[in-house]
Amino acid sequence: MLQTGLRQRKLAVLPVANLDDADDGYGYRGSTFEQTYRCYPASFIDKPQLETGDKIIMPPSALDRLASLHIEYPMLFEVHNAAAERTSHCGVLEFIAEEGMIYMPYWMMQNLLLTEGDMVFIKNANLPKGTYVKLQPHTTDFLDISNPKAILEKTLRNYSCLTTGDSIMVAYNNKKYYIDIVETKPSNAISIIETDCEVDFAPPLDYKEPERQKAAVPPSTAPTAEEAAEEEPKFIPFTGPGRRLDGKAPKDKDVSASSPAKRQANATNSVQPSTASTSQSSSSRKTTGKLVFGPGGNRTSKETEKVPEKEPKEDPKKDEPKFSAFTGRKYSLKG
């Protein structure tokens, strides 16, 4: 009898062991939760709070199936749109939807390219806790908020997981800001419940780097070598105004008022008299004066007249003025 009883008990246990492979009346099969639903936005069920998070509303039959599977909490799901090959992840808020239907945030439907009434595949998932996430706002307006970090932390409290490639919505001050999930670690989908996650920001999509204005190079005050060579005055000797020992004004009155070059030219012309004029002045001094010093002083005026004047030879040193002694004006001590 004991053996029979044991056999009966074993037979009674066998059907229960095969329940995972059997149909439970709701279309669920296997040891994991996998089901296809028609999706609708949260506005169809009058649940506006769904738009500020990533949680969906499922039918009560899903809760019964999940409870029988003894899955880990929090409940996380993989949402897949086979038509568009889009995948995301979400949590669950309530189990009050009609059978065969689920309600999800409209921004999540946009990520999955879903419209009202489209079929979506739901599967339970176990995600690792996130350690790093990189976000990228769509517009620079999000950075203009007084404290964007605090607003983001408050918003992410309503999220249970993040998926690389998704765009989440942050509502603040009656305005919606969309932020892309650029990168997540340690995997492409992470759980952000009760975890310390490092957050990094990428430049907004509409951000343009300001054009760097090239600093105008001020013209150098120091002249270049060529300019210095041009501006450097050349040395011109004897360019000052002439002064006579007798106090009379110089004949060339324009020398002092002229330019250095002109003064040089005038000085050269005044300093270099011709040989003929020198000879004529010397001859005139010999004839008119009573005392004549130098060779030929005893010659009479007739002898000087008979001596033919020789043509002046070109002297290489004619440019140098000859020294003439006692050519100044005479003064008497008597007054």
Side-chain angles (χ1 to χ4, degrees), residues 2 15 25 44 49 62 77 80 105 176 182 191 193 250 263 287 292 318:
L2 294 174
F44 278 42
Q49 64 270 24
F77 301 92
H80 180 68
K176 296 180 180 179
V182 178
S191 171
I193 298 176
R263 293 199 300 268
T287 55
V292 178
K318 63 181 180 179

Side-chain angles (χ1 to χ4, degrees), residues 212-232:
R212 297 181 179 178
Q213 297 180 355
K214 296 181 178 180
V217 179
S220 57
T221 55
T224 60
E226 297 180 356
E227 294 177 354
E230 293 178 358
E231 295 178 359
E232 184 178 358

